[in-house]
Amino acid sequence: MKYAAHAPHAHARASIGRLMLWVMIALTPATLYAFWLYGWPAIFLWAVTVLSAAGAEFFVLRLMQRDAARGLADGTAVLTGWLLALTLPPWAPWWVGVIGSVFAIVVVKQVFGGTGQNLFNPAMAARVMLLISFPVELTTWVGPSPLFGAGALSFVEGARVTFLGQMPLGFDALTSATTLGHVKTELTRGIDVPAALASHGQGLGASLIGLHAGSLGETAAVLLLAGGVLLIALRVIRWHIPVAMLAGVLLPAMLMHAHDPARYLDAGTHLLAGGLILGAFFIASDPATSPGTARGQLLFGFGCGLLVWVIRTWGGYPEAVAFAVLLMNAFTPVIDRYLRPRIYGHPARFARRTRP
Amino acid sequence: MVAVLSLTGLGLLLGLGLGVAAKFLRVEQEDGRIAEVEALLPGSQCGQCGFPGCAPAAAALVAGAAPVTLCPPGGRDLVEKLAALLGVEADTAGMAETVPMLAIIEETQCIGCTKCFKVCPTDAVIGATRQVHNVLREACTGCGKCVDVCPTLAISLEPVPATLQSWTWHKPPRELPVLNAPLSTAGASC
Amino acid sequence: MLNRDWLTRLRLRWGVHPLGRKEQGNREGILTLPLPSRLHVPMLQHTGQPAKPRVTVGQRVRKGEMIAARQGNISAPVHAPTSGTVIAIGDYPAPHPSGLPVLTVSIDCDGLEEWVDLDPPSDPFALAPEALAAKVAEAGIVGLGGATFPSAVKMALGLRTQVRTLLVNGSECEPYLSCDDRLMRERAAAIVDGMNLIRHAVGAETILCGIEDNKPEALAAMREAAAPFPHIALRRLPTRYPMGSDRQLIQVLTGREVPSDGRSADVGVLVHNVATCYAVHEALRYGRPLISRIVTVAGGAVRAPRNVEALIGTPARYLVEQCGGLSGESARLVMGGPMMGLELASLDVPVIKGSSGILALDASELPSATPSPCIRCGQCVTACPMNLMPFEMSARIRTGALDEAVGMGLKDCLTCGACSYVCPAHIPLSHYFNYARGELTRRERNTLRQESIRKLVAERSERLERDAREKAEAAARRKAERERAKAEADAARAAKAAAKAAEESSA
């Protein structure tokens, strides 16, 4: 028997694939700029990571006898690979990307039930796994050496770096700590923050346009910010998580920096030197792993931000976006349970009668 | 060595504690559960389950000697309630097709023998000797006892006709086109 | 001062903005349809108990004659939409997605349009409010916005609970529909008169009429008609779906919220649709019962979409034919608007009091994608006018945990469909909610039935016991009787023998 169709007989013409496509479009300028900064190895690593994420998704869906083409078409797997690639050191070997992607898709996403069912952000869980398992590869950063410029690697040299692990001559001169990592190291040596920043030699201006060592997604703060604002304007994401997360980092940073500039980094460095902007606009705002209500999103975002600042300031790792997002992901179900909006016509939350 | 011993000791001790707790704190309420199950059953003592009445059926259910799908008049609702109460997995796949039934008397064949209303557990058949009988729709459970005793085969069971007021929306089909593997059903935030 | 619209927009974030497509039908005036040859008037066109037919097959009825009386407290009578002969009283397909039949009176129109003797009150404002409500009840008027709740019941309720403000709903937030728009443009004075009559009948002080800002002509016409009455205020509402839901309209216009377990009268207001006001005007000024309504015929598959005034019972096919017919195959037929309307299996069903629109949508207008898993994006939460969490509720319903869904506010859901409309995963959220509510009602009914059957069984076993006891008692009595008789006989015999012996001995 054919059932009657239920209303509504109209639709906003939105789809998951379209949402993901917009996120990718918003990421494109920053990604292209980072490709230019870090050259062929970055491009190879990105391609390997994205392709292996898509491949892993396809393989797992086929294994579960689902419609693999349809599952891939929603773009979530490609986006996961893309975001993971943006958080890796640009000159990391190819297998780092492959292991990360496969872990993200198979263990973090599909084991939990696939698209929308995962509790943790796949890209961030994979990054943390890689960081713990391969600390050397994940903390070897190089300074920018723009494509087609003097000293840039050729296509073949780039392929050697990514696929064979053969570093070019003078590689040691290229390696450099990230700003946050440098400051953390110097602080443990008893050198205060202003001196550490001065010795690193990269001012805020350089950070603004990404001229410092770091992952692909830590460069070009301006382009990432523009992409994030585009997503909010298009209502692909809501403003609550990014704004709350930035506030969560910047408020304590400003307070404590004013309190003791020698020990606490300023808000500007917090904002521009690490992956905060990428994290706030593209990672923490992942719908599947963040709360569904406005108030929940504010709490979630602020929690992410606060954790980022706490771990950056007192933790063992210089960068903290991945840890902070994962920790708050674990709270998402609880937040969604207890921060439900007040239903129309019901008394305020704490006066509400519990229903059987 | 000390560590191994102490851990073993600890394990034994805790295991013992658990065993003792399981023994002493066990919830003894078999009788209560039988009453609860019986309260769920329709209570028409129709015997379609193969037991002489609802009380023996309830006892069998609690003892695990009968499937929760035993009661045709109860339908799917009852299966689900019983499964929830007894904590067992209900297979309602085969039950999907059962619909509430209603006894219909073919008037031209009824000879007014009154056999049917003598067996009806809910007094749903009305009529008098030598007169055509009729079924009260509201009272009939569709148990079929009358069908068995009718000497002229005048009674048949038919599905209760749907009306505009009793009609409800069907359950939407599941979201993912699954070829044959079952999908995880719980939401992410259960 | 800040613009009021801006305040509303800032304060309330619910709702969606579907493509209006109202221009399809609102350009031309209302067309009064020529008389069809046959009408099928269903007995259940309102919320509550169906009406009970009072005519017989073959009987001649005049236009406006009551052909079915109301049954029970919440019900409405039904009137003959034209003069003619009743040719059948029986099952006929209802305008409903189930396609199930409903008791219907079919009338062959004789073309004379001969009215029953009308008896309008000379001055309705001189009548007591109760008398006005009684006349509205007699006229069979129900809420014409789509809920089809009997208007007189609502008015009586308003009288009991001291309504201060009458809200008049001219928002018409469903896409495609423009029947209220055209009615306000063309018959504003009658609507305003109806508003005043209802105000009198419920004892309200002021009237607040809200019209969405996508209907500037209607707003202007209504402003002009209402100008002589200082107690009527017209408000321009932001265009947003579901603005026309009475709870949302109350929230926007008065800033108050109807309690979840209460009615609008609890916050001192009563909401009536503009078309209902018009029907009340017709009934109280001219004595005419509700026998026709304005219907929007639109959709991509209709050749010449427009608004028509159709008699209740007119086949939907006739309406579409009068609007140029269908161009090719229509992908879906809908009665009502696209957001909450019901799919029809065919056009061979009658127009009823609640039919605001007949839509024939083509494939390009319909949602096409198949559902995919929820990504918890929360767009449904933003859209929900009741502040529910649709995606959480549907996940519970899908796994059968209906009670949990009820705990999350399933019963507060309006099934407005805003959540389904925005869902990027195309999950049929409002369908889940309607399914769950139907299922809960069904279970409730089942439980009641089980209880009544249990009672019957108990009564029967009691009766059987009593019968058995009586039988046993009767048997015991008979036995005792027999024994007594025997004993008496024995005694008599003994006495006789004794007497004989005495006789013998004395002899």
Side-chain angles (χ1 to χ4, degrees), chain A residues 270-317:
Chain A
H270 269 297
L271 181 66
L272 297 174
L276 179 59
I277 294 178
L278 182 75
F281 285 92
F282 295 92
I283 290 169
S285 61
D286 164 33
T289 54
S290 64
T293 65
R295 285 192 297 168
Q297 290 177 352
L298 285 177
L299 179 66
F300 174 86
F302 195 79
C304 284
L306 205 60
L307 281 173
V308 166
W309 183 80
V310 166
I311 298 174
R312 276 183 181 179
T313 307
W314 292 304
Y317 287 94

Side-chain angles (χ1 to χ4, degrees), chain A residues 149-172:
Chain A
L153 296 186
S154 70
F155 183 86
V156 177
E157 283 170 326
R160 282 212 183 109
V161 168
T162 306
F163 295 106
L164 300 174
Q166 295 174 357
M167 294 304 156
L169 291 172
F171 172 69
D172 287 342

Side-chain angles (χ1 to χ4, degrees), chain B residues 39 77 118 120 123 140 171, chain C residues 398 446 449 454 460 463:
Chain B
D77 293 351
K118 278 181 189 147
C120 180
D123 285 339
C140 177
K171 187 169 185 176
Chain C
R398 201 167 52 128
N446 254 11
R449 191 157 175 273
R454 208 184 297 271
R460 179 185 147 92
R463 195 195 71 219

Side-chain angles (χ1 to χ4, degrees), chain C residues 54-246:
Chain C
R54 294 209 313 190
V55 288
T56 51
V57 175
Q59 182 180 336
R60 184 180 139 78
V61 291
R62 285 186 293 166
K63 185 170 181 141
E65 192 174 327
M66 189 191 286
I67 54 172
R70 65 168 184 265
Q71 299 190 91
N73 286 333
I74 299 178
S75 184
V78 177
H79 301 79
T82 184
S83 58
T85 315
V86 175
I87 53 155
I89 301 173
D91 283 346
Y92 192 82
H96 192 262
S98 66
L100 287 168
V102 64
L103 186 60
T104 302
V105 172
S106 301
I107 297 173
D108 249 348
C109 311
D110 61 9
L112 299 176
E113 296 269 43
E114 185 191 342
W115 275 94
V116 75
D117 302 323
L118 298 177
D119 176 29
S122 52
D123 178 13
F125 286 105
L127 291 178
E130 290 82 2
L132 280 189
K135 290 232 176 268
V136 168
E138 270 169 40
I141 296 175
V142 299
L144 296 180
T148 62
F149 191 80
S151 299
V153 179
K154 215 163 158 182
M155 284 159 74
L157 194 83
L159 255 188
R160 276 207 304 276
T161 48
Q162 287 210 326
V163 166
R164 308 264 310 270
T165 310
L166 172 67
L167 294 192
V168 178
N169 190 350
S171 53
E172 199 167 48
C173 57
E174 278 263 12
Y176 294 87
L177 301 188
S178 53
C179 50
D180 291 351
D181 182 11
R182 284 311 315 189
L183 190 72
M184 287 189 281
R185 289 195 212 183
E186 295 176 31
R187 302 175 193 176
I191 295 172
V192 168
D193 184 58
M195 280 154 60
N196 282 327
L197 287 164
I198 297 178
R199 168 175 172 260
H200 177 60
V202 300
E205 289 160 21
T206 52
I207 299 176
L208 213 52
C209 175
I211 298 169
E212 278 190 355
D213 55 13
N214 60 355
K215 292 180 271 292
E217 299 93 341
L219 185 66
M222 290 292 286
R223 280 229 159 98
E224 197 187 326
F229 306 102
H231 54 263
I232 301 181
L234 279 127
R235 289 280 158 75
R236 218 178 65 141
L237 302 170
T239 298
R240 193 191 307 183
Y241 180 86
M243 188 61 75
S245 150
D246 54 0

Side-chain angles (χ1 to χ4, degrees), chain B residues 44-179:
Chain B
S44 51
Q45 328 291 351
C46 69
Q48 285 179 82
C49 51
F51 293 95
C54 294
L61 277 169
V62 171
V68 286
T69 51
L70 86 178
C71 180
R76 259 162 75 107
D77 293 351
L78 179 69
V79 175
E80 281 166 15
K81 279 186 198 161
L82 284 177
L85 181 68
L86 298 172
V88 295
E89 205 56 32
D91 177 25
T92 52
M95 302 276 300
E97 300 308 313
T98 65
V99 288
M101 302 294 270
L102 186 68
I104 305 284
I105 300 180
E106 178 56 54
E107 295 184 4
T108 55
Q109 287 175 33
C110 177
I111 52 170
C113 67
T114 75
K115 275 186 179 161
C116 49
F117 75 70
K118 278 181 189 147
V119 296
C120 180
T122 55
D123 285 339
V125 188
I126 49 170
T129 319
R130 304 274 165 78
Q131 276 176 3
V132 173
H133 302 338
N134 222 323
V135 178
L136 285 177
R137 187 180 275 200
E138 278 309 299
C140 177
T141 60
C143 72
K145 277 190 166 179
C146 49
V147 177
D148 299 338
V149 298
C150 182
T152 61
L153 302 178
I155 307 181
S156 55
L157 284 185
E158 274 166 37
V160 177
T163 64
L164 216 52
Q165 284 102 322
S166 69
W167 183 85
T168 56
W169 279 103
H170 62 281
K171 187 169 185 176
R174 54 184 325 135
E175 279 120 45
L176 259 178
V178 181
L179 300 179

Side-chain angles (χ1 to χ4, degrees), chain C residues 64 81 114 136 156 185 191 202 222 244 250 252-253 290 297 306 321 348 352 402 424 432 457 486 497:
Chain C
E114 185 191 342
V136 168
R185 289 195 212 183
I191 295 172
V202 300
M222 290 292 286
I250 290 168
V252 171
L253 283 179
L290 179 61
V297 183
R306 71 182 296 176
E321 277 164 8
D348 296 311
I352 56 175
L402 299 189
Y432 270 112
V457 172
K486 198 177 162 205

Side-chain angles (χ1 to χ4, degrees), chain A residues 2-350:
Chain A
K2 185 188 167 288
Y3 287 119
H6 192 282
H9 311 286
H11 196 271
R13 314 266 160 192
S15 71
I16 296 173
R18 200 171 297 194
L19 292 181
M20 296 304 149
L21 193 63
W22 275 117
V23 178
M24 291 182 210
I25 289 172
L27 278 175
T28 301
T31 309
L32 290 178
Y33 179 69
F35 284 169
W36 176 73
L37 274 185
Y38 295 107
W40 287 109
I43 300 176
F44 291 137
L45 181 66
W46 178 87
V48 163
T49 312
V50 167
L51 282 178
S52 49
E57 175 98 345
F58 187 82
F59 178 75
V60 172
L61 288 177
R62 282 297 291 272
L63 202 66
M64 294 193 291
Q65 305 195 331
R66 300 244 187 90
D67 189 343
R70 209 175 103 91
L72 262 186
D74 70 14
T76 48
V78 170
L79 188 61
T80 295
W82 192 327
L83 287 171
L84 175 63
L86 290 190
T87 64
L88 296 177
W91 285 27
W94 63 277
W95 49 265
V96 166
V98 172
I99 292 177
S101 276
V102 170
F103 180 79
I105 297 297
V106 177
V107 178
V108 188
K109 180 178 174 190
Q110 292 296 352
V111 165
F112 279 81
T115 305
Q117 303 287 316
N118 46 304
L119 185 58
F120 295 102
N121 186 309
M124 289 303 99
R127 192 195 133 75
V128 166
M129 184 278 284
L130 291 173
L131 181 61
I132 293 169
S133 313
F134 313 106
V136 177
E137 284 80 0
L138 264 283
T139 50
T140 307
W141 307 94
V142 293
S145 56
L147 266 185
F148 317 120
L153 296 186
S154 70
F155 183 86
V156 177
E157 283 170 326
R160 282 212 183 109
V161 168
T162 306
F163 295 106
L164 300 174
Q166 295 174 357
M167 294 304 156
L169 291 172
F171 172 69
D172 287 342
L174 274 175
T175 59
S176 145
T178 62
T179 313
L180 292 172
H182 178 73
V183 171
K184 180 144 264 191
T185 322
E186 296 294 272
L187 272 175
T188 55
R189 289 170 50 205
I191 297 168
D192 69 358
V193 170
L197 279 179
S199 69
H200 195 56
Q202 284 171 352
L204 273 186
S207 289
L208 199 63
I209 53 168
L211 290 177
H212 60 89
S215 66
L216 299 183
E218 292 179 6
T219 58
V222 178
L223 292 176
L224 284 170
L225 199 61
V229 171
L230 174 76
L231 291 187
I232 293 177
L234 288 169
R235 294 173 185 234
V236 174
I237 59 171
R238 301 211 289 175
W239 60 267
H240 303 75
I241 289 177
V243 169
M245 182 160 171
L246 294 182
V249 176
L250 300 186
L251 285 182
M254 277 192 282
L255 276 175
M256 296 307 280
H257 181 69
H259 170 65
D260 184 358
R263 285 189 52 214
Y264 298 101
L265 269 173
D266 58 302
T269 308
H270 269 297
L271 181 66
L272 297 174
L276 179 59
I277 294 178
L278 182 75
F281 285 92
F282 295 92
I283 290 169
S285 61
D286 164 33
T289 54
S290 64
T293 65
R295 285 192 297 168
Q297 290 177 352
L298 285 177
L299 179 66
F300 174 86
F302 195 79
C304 284
L306 205 60
L307 281 173
V308 166
W309 183 80
V310 166
I311 298 174
R312 276 183 181 179
T313 307
W314 292 304
Y317 287 94
E319 179 51 303
V321 171
F323 292 106
V325 169
L326 287 182
L327 282 172
M328 289 309 290
N329 282 163
F331 280 103
T332 295
V334 183
I335 295 176
D336 262 346
R337 188 173 180 86
Y338 289 102
L339 269 192
R340 285 185 196 149
R342 182 185 64 84
I343 300 172
Y344 176 109
H346 281 258
R349 175 83 204 172
F350 294 104

